[in-house]
Amino acid sequence: GGRPTISSEDGMYAMSIGLAFHEDIGGFMGMSPRRGETKGDYEGLTENARRLRIPISFRYKNWIANITPDFGSSTADGSATLYEANLNYAGFRNTVITAGYFQPRVTEEDSESSNEFEMMERPAITDIVRNIAAGDARMSFGALHYAKRWWIAGYVTGQSYGKRATYDSQSGATFRVAGRPYVSKDIDVHVGLSAITAFKVAQGTGSSDRSYTFAEQPEVDLTTTKLLSATVGNVGSIWSAGPELGFRWKRLVLKGEYYNIGVTRGDYGASTASNTANVNFTGYYGAANYTIFGKARSYNIKEGAFAAPGVDHAFDPSHGYWGALEMSARYSVTDLNANLGNAATALRGGQQTVWSAGLNWYPNRHFRFMLDFNHFIVSRNSVAADVMGREGNSVAGRIQAAF
Amino acid sequence: GGRPTISSEDGMYAMSIGLAFHEDIGGFMGMSPRRGETKGDYEGLTENARRLRIPISFRYKNWIANITPDFGSSTADGSATLYEANLNYAGFRNTVITAGYFQPRVTEEDSESSNEFEMMERPAITDIVRNIAAGDARMSFGALHYAKRWWIAGYVTGQSYGKRATYDSQSGATFRVAGRPYVSKDIDVHVGLSAITAFKVAQGTGSSDRSYTFAEQPEVDLTTTKLLSATVGNVGSIWSAGPELGFRWKRLVLKGEYYNIGVTRGDYGASTASNTANVNFTGYYGAANYTIFGKARSYNIKEGAFAAPGVDHAFDPSHGYWGALEMSARYSVTDLNANLGNAATALRGGQQTVWSAGLNWYPNRHFRFMLDFNHFIVSRNSVAADVMGREGNSVAGRIQAAF
Amino acid sequence: GGRPTISSEDGMYAMSIGLAFHEDIGGFMGMSPRRGETKGDYEGLTENARRLRIPISFRYKNWIANITPDFGSSTADGSATLYEANLNYAGFRNTVITAGYFQPRVTEEDSESSNEFEMMERPAITDIVRNIAAGDARMSFGALHYAKRWWIAGYVTGQSYGKRATYDSQSGATFRVAGRPYVSKDIDVHVGLSAITAFKVAQGTGSSDRSYTFAEQPEVDLTTTKLLSATVGNVGSIWSAGPELGFRWKRLVLKGEYYNIGVTRGDYGASTASNTANVNFTGYYGAANYTIFGKARSYNIKEGAFAAPGVDHAFDPSHGYWGALEMSARYSVTDLNANLGNAATALRGGQQTVWSAGLNWYPNRHFRFMLDFNHFIVSRNSVAADVMGREGNSVAGRIQAAF
C-alpha cells in the first residue's frame, strides 16, 4: 500500500512507518451572535493541525505491536499525544485480536479511515456516538473478523489514553456487524448495525454525581466553541444503537445512518423528576458522493465500509493525467433536546442541522486536497455563544498526505 | 536482537528503531481507609500506559546518538516525554562513554532492562535510591566498562529532562561495581555495590530552604497516591549506598539488596535540632524467581545483572510449543521513619512492607504477559490517605512488546 | 548526506529519518543584580535540551511530506512539540513549493541550518526579526527557488503550531532574496535582502487592543529570563527589513546584517500620543569566523547562506586525524528603545549588546562540540530583573549530532 516497510529475509519480521497528515485552513462567515450571546471562537481565518500521525508497526510472526504518536488535535491546533498503542494477534484467518489503546470502530462513518472520508469531518451524531465508549486511543480488548460479505467486531473498553479519572474510570463496550446483501460490478449494498455503551461513566471529582457531556462542533474543527452541548447529571449508563445503510451505483455512493442515544440515571441525590428521568437523544445523516474522474469509490471488506476513489495515473498534465476528483453533499441533524414537552424533565442541549458540500482532489494515491462548505443552524441551549440560537457558514480546506 | 536496523554496505552507518511497550490494567481491593483518612486514587479497575518508548539510534563509526520518545508515564496514564537522548563513544573495547539525557544504572534491579523485570515494578527502595541522582532521562556524563567477570560504571549527573529548577539545578553522581566470583553452567553468583549522591538538591523557589521528598507507590503504578512519603527540609546533600547479592542455581534465581540513605542538612534557618539532625532511611528486599518452562534466566555481562528467560520455540500449540513461563515472589521493606526515638528530631515518612507474587508468560521472544499480586502495609505518616496507617491489595496485569 | 533512507527499487518512493540533536550545558557568572532588581533565572550550572528533532520525510515522485517531532525547547529544558509538518512539490527545477507548518527563512543567519551555526545561538536581532512572522513551525504557503548565483523565496504565513489565538489569528508574509556577485575558489561574496511583516497580529483576549512583545535572551538559551523586552500595545502591523552582507576569503568568513523594525498602530483606545506614535527598533551584528583546521566553511546555494566546515578524515588520532576546528567572534546590538527623546511617546525596552567568542570542534561530519563565551550588557527597562540595567557573562557548551 505504499507504506515504507523493512522486512527480514525469512519473512518473520516486518517494521513499517507511515503517515497520516491532515492540516486544515479556513474560517467562518456570517456568524454575528444575537443580542446576549458571546461571539465564540469563530475566526475568519485560522489553521488547525488536525491529524499528524506517525504509525509505527512491528511484526514478529503473527504478533503485531502498533504505536502511533499524534501531533494533531481535534480543535486546538496541535499537541503531542497518542493515536494508538496496541498489541495484536493475527494468527486466525481474517481475524485480528487486539489489546491496548485502540480505536474500536462503530458506525459506517467511523469505520472508514480518516484518510478516505467524503467530507473533512464525520457527521456530528457519529462523533457523539463513538465518543461514548470508542474514539481514538481507547483502552480496548476485543476482536474483529471479516469475510467477503460480512464484518463483525466487539470490544470491551476503558478510559481513553491520558484520561484516567481520579476516582473511578469508565467501562464500556462496542459492537458492530455489517453485511453486503447484494454485490455486483456496478452495485454495492451495505447494511449494518452499530451499538455502544458506557456501563458506568467516569467519576472525576469527589462527588459521586457522575455527569457526562455530549457536545460537538458544527462539523468543522477550526473552533473550540461547541454550540451543541448537553450535560446530563447523575448518569447511570449510556447506550446507543442504530442502523447503517449504504448503496453504490457506478460512481455514485449514497449513505445514511440513524442513532438513538439513551441515558439511564444513577442513584445520586434526591429522587426528583429531573434527576431520574431517562434521557433520549437522536441524530441521523444522509450523504451523496460522486466521483467525477478517476476510479470510483469502492467497498473495503477489511473495514466493512466504503473506501476513497483510486488514482489510475498520478497527476501529470503533460500526459493529460489529473488524478481523481469527487464531490460530496451531506445533510445531518443531531438533536440533543430531550423531554421538551415536560417542564420538570426537559433537557435542552440544542438541535444542530448542517448542510455541507465538498470537493476532493487526489493528484496521486498519497496526496489529497479537500474543500468543504458548511451551513449550520443550531437551536438555543445554555452555551454562552448560543443562548438565542445561532447559524453560520464555514469554508475550510485540507492538505493531506497518507503513507 | 530482533530490533529493526538498516545499515550502510560499508558498515560505517547503522540506524535502528525499537519499541518498549508496557501497558497495565488492574486495580486495588480491600483498601477501605480508616476514619480520618481520604480514600486516595485507588480504583477497582483502571489502566496505565506504563512505558511506550520508541528507541531510535544512529551510529556513525564508533559514535552513536540515541533518542527515545516515551508516551508512557509512571502513574498517570500517559504523556509525551523523553526517556533518553544522548551521545556515546564506543571506540574503546567493552566501554561506552555517554553524555546527555540518560538512565545511569545503580542497584541490580535498576540495571536490569524493564523489559526483563521479574515483577512489574522495582522494589520501592530501588526506585527511591535511583531517583536521588539517576532515574530516567537524567543529564549525565560518564562511562561504563564490562568484562566477562566484572562491571563498573560512574557518572556525574544533573537535572532530569524538563525539570530545570528555577533557582538552582541539582548536581550529583552515581557509581556501581559488580562482579561474578563464581560462574558455572548451573550457577551464577553476583555481588555488587551501588552508591549515589546528590551533592546539592534543586532549589525551585526563592527561598534557599532546599527540600527533598522521598515517596513511592506500593510497587504497583496504577495510582497517583503515594502512601509512603517523607519530605526533608534544609537539605545539604543526600547519599545512598548498599550491597547487591544474586544467586542462580539452574532455574532458580535468588536476589537481595539493602540500601541506607543519609541526608545531611544545610545552613538555612534556625539551628534547631529538627533542622540540623542527620536523617537516615533504610530499605531492602529479597526475591525468588523460578522458570517453570522455557530457557532459564541467565546473566547479562553487559548489564551486570540477570536477564529474562529465553524462548526456544515461539508459541505454537499445534507443535506443543508454549514459550516460557516463570513465577516470582518478593518481600520488600522501605523505612522512611527516622529518629523516632527523639521527639525533637523525629521524621515520620512511614514504613512500607510489600509482599508480592507474580507470573510471567513469554509466548515468544518479543511479547510478554505479566500478572502480579501485591499485599502492602504502610505505617502512618502525614499523607492524607495514610494518617492512621493503611493496608491493601492489588492485582495488575501487563501486556508487553519489546523490539 | 548520511541521513538513513530507504527507497523503492523503481525510485518512486523514498523515506528517511534524521536527527538534529543539540544539548547545552553551562551557566552564568558575575550577574549580581543591582539594588531593586530580582536575580532572574541565571544559574551557575544548568542544562537545556535545545533541539531534539527527528525529521521524517516521505517522498512519492515529486511530492514530499515532512514531519519533525521536536523534544527540545528554546529555554525551558524540553517539551514535546513539532518543528515542522508540511507538504512540498518539487516538480519544478531547483524550486520547492511548500504548504503547512514550516520554518520560512529570513536573514542570512536564519537561513543557515542550526546544525551549522558559527555560535550556539543566532544574534538577538535575527531571532526578534524572524519571530515576527516566520520562526519554527509557522503555517506557511510559498516557494523558494535557487540557482548557482542567486536565491529567492516568499511565503504568506499564519500562526505558529499550537498557538492559535482565541479571537483572531495572525497573518503575515516573508520575503528574501540573496545573490553572489563574485565567486572564486578563494572568495565568496554574499549580498541579500530580507523582509518580513505581520499584517495583523494575534488577538488573544476579548479586548481588541492587540499587543506584541519583542523580547530575547542574551544570546544564550540557558535561562527563561529575558532582560531585553518591549511590549507595544494597540498594534496595527509590524514590518522589518534589512541588508545581509557576507564575505569569505579562504578560511575566513565575515558576516554582518542590519535590521529596522517598524510598528504601525491600530485604532483601539483613545487617540493619545503614546497610543498612536509609530515605533521603530533596530539591531545589527558583525561576525568573524576562521577555520583552524579541516575544510573551510563554504557557500550553500540551496540555502543562500554559508555552511559549516567539512571534515576530510574523521577523528582518528592514531593516524593524525583530528576532524575540524573553527573559532568565531561576534558583536551584536539590539535596540528596543524608541522615541526616548519624547516623554509622551517614549518606549523603553532596553538596548542589549553582546560580545561573544566560541570554538567548534567537529570530530567527524555528524558530531560537533561547541564552547561559547558571552559578555552582555543590557540597559534598563521594565523587566523586574533589569530595572537598573544589568550585565553579565555566560559560558556554555553544546554536544551535537546531526544525521
Side-chain angles (χ1 to χ4, degrees):
Chain A
R3 176 167 292 183
T5 304
I6 59 175
S7 310
S8 63
E9 284 183 14
D10 59 11
M12 289 209 301
Y13 283 93
M15 197 267 289
S16 66
I17 302 181
L19 179 70
F21 176 117
H22 301 182
E23 290 179 3
D24 299 349
I25 180 163
F28 295 87
M29 295 162 303
M31 288 214 52
S32 307
R34 293 178 197 175
R35 187 189 298 271
E37 289 175 343
T38 59
K39 178 168 188 292
D41 173 17
Y42 290 104
E43 301 191 29
L45 180 64
T46 188
E47 298 100 37
N48 194 39
R50 184 64 180 88
R51 293 181 185 89
L52 291 171
R53 297 177 183 162
I54 307 170
I56 307 176
S57 182
F58 297 80
R59 182 175 66 76
Y60 176 67
K61 295 185 171 175
N62 288 319
W63 300 73
I64 298 153
N66 294 320
I67 182 166
T68 303
D70 188 353
F71 292 83
S73 161
S74 63
T75 57
D77 193 26
S79 61
T81 180
L82 196 71
Y83 166 63
E84 66 168 350
N86 49 60
L87 303 188
N88 301 274
Y89 181 75
F92 303 107
R93 183 178 162 77
N94 288 1
T95 303
V96 183
I97 303 170
T98 301
Y101 295 92
F102 182 62
Q103 181 192 352
R105 307 291 175 132
V106 281
T107 82
E108 197 279 342
E109 277 284 322
D110 187 42
S111 299
E112 295 186 14
S113 162
S114 58
N115 291 322
E116 312 198 350
F117 281 175
E118 296 180 353
M119 311 289 299
M120 283 168 58
E121 300 297 336
R122 298 177 190 88
I125 184 65
T126 303
D127 269 327
I128 288 174
V129 166
R130 79 189 202 110
N131 285 337
I132 292 171
D136 299 350
R138 175 78 66 178
M139 175 60 74
S140 306
F141 177 66
L144 71 81
H145 178 82
Y146 64 91
K148 201 157 180 244
R149 299 289 285 264
W150 58 284
W151 190 102
I152 190 166
Y155 299 89
V156 292
T157 67
Q159 72 219 20
S160 296
Y161 173 76
K163 302 252 172 74
R164 188 196 300 163
T166 307
Y167 289 89
D168 195 12
S169 293
Q170 169 171 325
S171 304
T174 71
F175 174 76
R176 180 175 182 250
V177 61
R180 305 171 73 196
Y182 184 83
V183 180
S184 76
K185 180 174 164 291
D186 285 343
I187 294 177
D188 280 299
V189 177
H190 166 93
V191 295
L193 174 77
S194 288
I196 190 167
T197 181
F199 304 131
K200 63 172 182 186
V201 301
Q203 181 190 345
T205 66
S207 159
S208 62
D209 181 7
R210 301 178 187 225
S211 72
Y212 187 91
T213 298
F214 302 84
E216 196 59 31
Q217 295 100 253
E219 301 183 9
V220 56
D221 280 14
L222 290 164
T223 174
T224 53
T225 304
K226 300 177 177 183
L227 299 178
L228 185 70
S229 181
T231 297
V232 186
N234 187 30
V235 172
S237 64
I238 306 175
W239 60 269
S240 178
E244 315 169 356
L245 287 171
F247 176 75
R248 181 181 71 85
W249 179 64
K250 293 186 174 171
R251 296 175 158 273
L252 177 72
V253 175
L254 303 177
K255 291 196 304 186
E257 301 185 71
Y258 172 91
Y259 290 92
N260 188 34
I261 299 170
V263 182
T264 67
R265 310 302 285 266
D267 50 13
Y268 175 82
S271 180
T272 60
S274 71
N275 206 33
T276 56
N278 281 355
V279 173
N280 280 277
F281 301 132
T282 58
Y284 58 90
Y285 75 92
N289 173 280
Y290 185 80
T291 304
I292 301 169
F293 57 81
K295 238 162 78 182
R297 282 188 171 255
S298 56
Y299 196 84
N300 183 337
I301 60 166
K302 293 188 181 181
E303 294 177 348
F306 289 96
V311 174
D312 286 317
H313 298 280
F315 179 61
D316 184 354
S318 64
H319 292 82
Y321 298 143
W322 294 90
L325 184 71
E326 64 177 335
M327 59 182 188
S328 304
R330 191 169 69 199
Y331 175 70
S332 150
V333 175
T334 310
D335 187 353
L336 299 187
N337 292 327
N339 309 331
L340 287 197
N342 181 334
T345 60
L347 202 153
R348 192 181 289 279
Q351 174 180 300
Q352 175 176 282
T353 303
V354 184
W355 295 88
S356 40
L359 274 179
N360 304 329
W361 176 54
Y362 304 76
N364 57 55
R365 57 193 294 229
H366 292 291
F367 289 80
R368 172 160 91 153
F369 298 89
M370 304 180 79
L371 183 68
D372 276 15
F373 170 81
N374 285 11
H375 175 69
F376 49 89
I377 306 125
V378 190
S379 68
R380 72 185 175 87
N381 53 23
S382 310
V383 173
D386 188 34
V387 292
M388 299 292 288
R390 193 89 180 263
E391 60 185 294
N393 306 286
S394 67
V395 174
R398 172 171 294 172
I399 57 175
Q400 175 181 313
F403 285 88
Chain B
R3 176 167 292 183
T5 304
I6 59 174
S7 310
S8 63
E9 284 183 15
D10 58 11
M12 290 209 299
Y13 283 94
M15 198 268 290
S16 67
I17 302 181
L19 179 69
F21 175 117
H22 301 181
E23 290 179 5
D24 299 350
I25 180 162
F28 296 87
M29 294 161 305
M31 287 213 55
S32 306
R34 292 177 198 175
R35 189 189 298 271
E37 289 175 344
T38 59
K39 178 169 189 291
D41 172 18
Y42 290 104
E43 301 190 28
L45 179 64
T46 188
E47 298 100 38
N48 193 39
R50 184 66 180 87
R51 293 180 185 89
L52 291 171
R53 295 176 183 163
I54 307 169
I56 308 176
S57 181
F58 297 81
R59 182 176 65 78
Y60 176 68
K61 295 184 171 176
N62 288 319
W63 300 73
I64 297 151
N66 293 321
I67 182 165
T68 303
D70 189 353
F71 292 83
S73 162
S74 63
T75 58
D77 191 29
S79 61
T81 181
L82 197 71
Y83 167 64
E84 67 167 350
N86 50 59
L87 303 187
N88 301 274
Y89 182 75
F92 303 106
R93 183 178 162 76
N94 288 1
T95 302
V96 183
I97 303 169
T98 301
Y101 295 93
F102 182 62
Q103 181 193 354
R105 307 291 174 132
V106 282
T107 81
E108 197 279 341
E109 277 284 323
D110 187 42
S111 299
E112 295 187 12
S113 162
S114 58
N115 292 321
E116 312 197 350
F117 282 175
E118 295 180 353
M119 309 291 298
M120 282 169 57
E121 302 297 335
R122 298 177 189 87
I125 184 63
T126 302
D127 269 326
I128 287 174
V129 167
R130 79 188 201 111
N131 285 337
I132 292 172
D136 299 350
R138 177 77 68 177
M139 175 59 75
S140 306
F141 177 66
L144 71 81
H145 178 81
Y146 65 91
K148 200 158 180 243
R149 300 289 286 262
W150 56 284
W151 189 102
I152 191 166
Y155 299 89
V156 292
T157 65
Q159 73 219 18
S160 295
Y161 173 77
K163 303 252 173 74
R164 188 196 298 164
T166 307
Y167 288 91
D168 196 12
S169 293
Q170 169 170 324
S171 303
T174 72
F175 174 77
R176 179 174 183 250
V177 61
R180 305 171 72 195
Y182 183 84
V183 180
S184 75
K185 179 175 164 292
D186 285 342
I187 294 177
D188 281 298
V189 178
H190 166 94
V191 296
L193 174 77
S194 288
I196 190 166
T197 181
F199 304 132
K200 62 172 185 189
V201 301
Q203 180 190 345
T205 65
S207 159
S208 61
D209 180 7
R210 301 178 187 225
S211 72
Y212 186 91
T213 298
F214 302 85
E216 196 58 31
Q217 295 100 253
E219 300 183 8
V220 57
D221 281 14
L222 291 163
T223 173
T224 54
T225 303
K226 300 177 177 183
L227 298 177
L228 185 70
S229 180
T231 297
V232 186
N234 188 30
V235 172
S237 65
I238 306 173
W239 60 270
S240 178
E244 314 169 356
L245 286 172
F247 175 75
R248 180 181 71 84
W249 178 65
K250 294 186 174 169
R251 296 176 158 273
L252 177 71
V253 175
L254 303 176
K255 291 195 306 185
E257 301 184 70
Y258 172 90
Y259 290 91
N260 188 33
I261 299 169
V263 183
T264 67
R265 309 303 285 265
D267 51 12
Y268 175 83
S271 180
T272 61
S274 71
N275 206 34
T276 55
N278 281 354
V279 173
N280 281 277
F281 301 131
T282 58
Y284 57 90
Y285 74 92
N289 173 281
Y290 185 80
T291 304
I292 301 168
F293 55 82
K295 238 162 79 182
R297 283 188 170 256
S298 57
Y299 196 82
N300 182 338
I301 61 166
K302 293 188 181 182
E303 293 177 348
F306 289 96
V311 174
D312 286 317
H313 297 281
F315 178 63
D316 183 356
S318 64
H319 292 81
Y321 299 143
W322 294 90
L325 183 71
E326 64 178 335
M327 60 182 187
S328 305
R330 192 168 68 198
Y331 175 71
S332 150
V333 175
T334 309
D335 187 352
L336 299 187
N337 292 327
N339 310 330
L340 286 196
N342 182 334
T345 60
L347 202 152
R348 192 181 289 277
Q351 175 180 302
Q352 176 176 280
T353 304
V354 184
W355 295 89
S356 40
L359 274 178
N360 304 328
W361 176 54
Y362 303 76
N364 57 55
R365 57 194 295 230
H366 293 291
F367 289 80
R368 174 161 89 153
F369 299 88
M370 306 181 79
L371 183 67
D372 275 17
F373 170 81
N374 286 10
H375 176 69
F376 48 89
I377 306 125
V378 190
S379 69
R380 71 182 176 88
N381 53 23
S382 311
V383 173
D386 188 34
V387 293
M388 299 293 288
R390 193 87 180 264
E391 61 185 294
N393 307 285
S394 66
V395 174
R398 172 171 294 172
I399 57 174
Q400 176 182 312
F403 284 88
Chain C
R3 175 166 293 183
T5 303
I6 59 174
S7 310
S8 63
E9 284 183 15
D10 59 11
M12 291 209 299
Y13 282 94
M15 198 268 290
S16 66
I17 302 182
L19 180 68
F21 176 117
H22 301 182
E23 289 179 5
D24 299 349
I25 180 162
F28 296 87
M29 296 163 304
M31 288 215 51
S32 307
R34 294 177 196 173
R35 186 190 300 270
E37 289 175 345
T38 59
K39 179 169 189 291
D41 172 17
Y42 290 104
E43 302 190 29
L45 180 64
T46 188
E47 299 100 37
N48 194 38
R50 185 63 180 89
R51 292 181 186 89
L52 291 171
R53 295 176 184 163
I54 307 170
I56 308 176
S57 181
F58 297 80
R59 182 176 66 77
Y60 176 67
K61 296 185 170 175
N62 288 318
W63 299 74
I64 299 151
N66 294 321
I67 183 165
T68 305
D70 188 354
F71 292 83
S73 161
S74 63
T75 58
D77 192 28
S79 61
T81 180
L82 196 72
Y83 167 64
E84 66 168 351
N86 50 58
L87 302 187
N88 301 273
Y89 181 76
F92 303 107
R93 184 178 162 75
N94 289 0
T95 302
V96 183
I97 302 170
T98 301
Y101 295 92
F102 182 63
Q103 182 192 354
R105 307 292 174 131
V106 282
T107 82
E108 197 280 340
E109 278 283 322
D110 187 42
S111 299
E112 294 186 13
S113 162
S114 58
N115 292 322
E116 312 198 351
F117 282 174
E118 295 180 353
M119 311 290 298
M120 283 169 58
E121 301 297 335
R122 298 177 190 88
I125 185 62
T126 302
D127 269 327
I128 288 174
V129 166
R130 80 188 201 111
N131 284 338
I132 292 172
D136 299 350
R138 176 76 68 176
M139 175 58 74
S140 306
F141 176 66
L144 71 80
H145 178 81
Y146 66 91
K148 202 158 182 244
R149 300 290 285 263
W150 58 284
W151 189 102
I152 190 166
Y155 299 89
V156 292
T157 66
Q159 72 219 18
S160 296
Y161 173 76
K163 303 252 172 72
R164 188 194 301 164
T166 307
Y167 289 90
D168 196 12
S169 293
Q170 169 171 323
S171 303
T174 72
F175 174 76
R176 179 174 183 250
V177 60
R180 306 172 72 196
Y182 184 83
V183 180
S184 76
K185 179 174 164 292
D186 284 344
I187 293 176
D188 281 299
V189 178
H190 166 93
V191 295
L193 174 77
S194 287
I196 191 167
T197 181
F199 304 131
K200 62 172 184 187
V201 300
Q203 181 190 343
T205 64
S207 159
S208 61
D209 181 8
R210 301 178 187 225
S211 72
Y212 186 92
T213 298
F214 302 85
E216 195 59 31
Q217 295 100 252
E219 300 183 8
V220 57
D221 280 14
L222 290 164
T223 174
T224 53
T225 304
K226 300 177 178 183
L227 298 177
L228 185 70
S229 180
T231 297
V232 186
N234 187 29
V235 172
S237 64
I238 306 174
W239 60 269
S240 177
E244 315 168 357
L245 287 172
F247 176 75
R248 181 181 70 87
W249 178 66
K250 292 184 174 170
R251 296 173 158 276
L252 178 71
V253 174
L254 303 176
K255 290 195 306 185
E257 301 184 70
Y258 173 91
Y259 289 91
N260 189 32
I261 299 169
V263 182
T264 66
R265 310 302 284 267
D267 50 12
Y268 175 83
S271 178
T272 61
S274 71
N275 206 34
T276 56
N278 282 354
V279 173
N280 280 277
F281 301 130
T282 58
Y284 58 91
Y285 75 91
N289 173 280
Y290 185 80
T291 304
I292 299 166
F293 56 81
K295 237 162 79 183
R297 282 188 171 255
S298 56
Y299 196 82
N300 182 337
I301 60 166
K302 293 187 181 182
E303 292 177 350
F306 288 97
V311 174
D312 285 318
H313 297 282
F315 179 62
D316 183 356
S318 63
H319 292 82
Y321 299 143
W322 295 90
L325 184 71
E326 63 178 336
M327 59 183 188
S328 306
R330 191 168 70 198
Y331 176 70
S332 149
V333 175
T334 309
D335 187 353
L336 299 186
N337 292 327
N339 311 329
L340 287 196
N342 182 334
T345 60
L347 202 153
R348 192 181 289 278
Q351 175 180 300
Q352 175 175 282
T353 303
V354 184
W355 296 88
S356 40
L359 274 178
N360 304 329
W361 176 53
Y362 304 76
N364 57 54
R365 57 192 296 231
H366 293 291
F367 289 80
R368 172 161 91 152
F369 298 88
M370 306 180 78
L371 183 67
D372 276 16
F373 171 81
N374 286 10
H375 175 68
F376 48 89
I377 306 124
V378 190
S379 69
R380 72 183 176 88
N381 53 23
S382 310
V383 173
D386 189 33
V387 293
M388 299 293 288
R390 193 87 182 265
E391 61 185 295
N393 307 286
S394 67
V395 174
R398 173 172 294 173
I399 58 175
Q400 176 181 313
F403 285 88

